[in-house]
Amino acid sequence: MKARIFFLSLLCLLTFNVTFAQSLKSVSILGDSYSTFEGFIPDGNSIWYWKTPNPSLTDVDKVTQTWWHKFVKENNFKLLVNDSYSGSTICNTGYNKEDYTDRSFITRMKRLGCPDVIFIFGATNDSWANSPIGDFKYSDWTKEDLYNFRPALSYLLSNMIDYYPNIKIYYILNDGLKEEINNSIKDICKHYEIPLIELNNIDKKNGHPSVVGMQQISEQLKSALFLN
């Protein structure tokens, strides 16, 4: 009898754990260096955060210190895809006016699987690289348009809305970017009704979130999404 009760209790516990795991909402990330970590992004994508980092560049040396790992673990989500690429721009124009079509956000936007939530965390490199800003344009994009930030961001959001129906998409806006970039993101997200999460006073080292900064990002996301 005791053995039977133990078996039933164990079965209930296992069933609960499986059901709970299946009920967790999944998260995918489309990002740049801020969201990279060695071994957790697609092979071939450039990395900023390594398992054995250069201490003069960053103090982040564990994946558990990254903003996205903290957010997923502490708020009962599960990570589906993290397609982040260090140095990548939203548009197809990168540093020194080089063609970044191979790594841009608009090239990688359909690689995120089928999550419940998508975080887009980009434009830092568009700001730093002085990518051409371009004009606001919400349809009929040409190949040339996509080498400019504003039309490329519109193209990105428009296509993601169609490609990921019934999936909640959030845009994370870094602090410290050029006002022209900030204002463009706010206007374009408003046009497409994409919720915008603005980061504030993130602690950084060499322009990238430190261990403290990673925790701040996770906490600010949690607060913005009312997960307290």
Side-chain angles (χ1 to χ4, degrees):
M1 185 66 179
K2 290 182 178 180
R4 184 184 178 190
I5 293 174
F6 174 77
F7 175 76
L8 291 174
S9 298
L10 181 61
L11 181 62
C12 288
L13 180 62
L14 291 173
T15 301
F16 172 79
N17 287 339
V18 170
T19 302
F20 180 72
Q22 290 175 340
S23 68
L24 294 180
K25 289 188 176 182
S26 58
V27 172
S28 287
I29 300 158
L30 183 62
D32 52 28
S33 57
Y34 279 40
S35 307
T36 62
F37 196 87
E38 182 183 3
F40 289 83
I41 59 175
D43 290 342
N45 285 16
S46 295
I47 302 168
W48 176 268
Y49 294 103
W50 298 83
K51 294 176 182 177
T52 305
N54 181 339
S56 67
L57 296 179
T58 182
D59 59 350
V60 176
D61 59 5
K62 297 180 181 64
V63 70
T64 54
Q65 297 169 330
T66 62
W67 71 266
W68 48 270
H69 196 285
K70 284 181 172 293
F71 178 82
V72 166
K73 185 176 181 180
E74 294 171 6
N75 298 289
N76 289 326
F77 287 87
K78 58 184 177 183
L79 181 67
L80 185 62
V81 176
N82 182 356
D83 195 326
S84 296
Y85 197 121
S86 182
S88 61
T89 45
I90 299 287
C91 71
N92 288 334
T93 302
Y95 289 90
N96 302 312
K97 307 305 178 185
E98 293 179 9
D99 191 325
Y100 272 25
T101 303
D102 65 330
R103 70 202 70 177
S104 68
F105 279 56
I106 59 178
T107 295
R108 295 182 288 116
M109 65 181 171
K110 295 182 179 180
R111 304 176 184 175
L112 304 176
C114 189
D116 296 293
V117 176
I118 293 174
F119 289 121
I120 304 171
F121 194 178
T124 298
N125 290 299
D126 299 78
S127 182
W128 291 354
N130 293 314
S131 300
I133 195 72
D135 298 321
F136 291 104
K137 189 173 184 180
Y138 296 106
S139 63
D140 302 320
W141 300 276
T142 66
K143 182 178 179 180
E144 290 71 27
D145 286 331
L146 302 183
Y147 285 89
N148 300 279
F149 178 72
R150 284 171 176 161
L153 181 58
S154 296
Y155 177 82
L156 174 75
L157 298 185
S158 176
N159 277 272
M160 289 187 67
I161 289 169
D162 291 341
Y163 194 76
Y164 299 103
N166 298 320
I167 293 175
K168 194 65 178 178
I169 300 173
Y170 295 92
Y171 195 103
I172 303 172
L173 176 58
N174 191 15
D175 63 346
L177 305 186
K178 295 190 299 186
E179 279 305 301
E180 194 172 34
I181 292 287
N182 291 336
N183 293 334
S184 297
I185 292 171
K186 292 175 184 178
D187 287 346
I188 295 170
C189 283
K190 182 177 180 180
H191 177 87
Y192 288 106
E193 299 182 337
I194 297 293
L196 182 67
I197 301 173
E198 295 185 60
L199 302 180
N200 293 288
N201 300 314
I202 301 301
D203 186 73
K204 299 174 184 176
K205 187 172 184 178
N206 290 292
H208 292 73
S210 62
V211 171
V212 172
M214 290 291 192
Q215 181 65 41
Q216 290 172 322
I217 294 173
S218 176
E219 290 174 352
Q220 289 183 27
L221 289 182
K222 180 180 179 180
S223 178
L225 298 180
F226 303 106
L227 296 174
N228 295 315

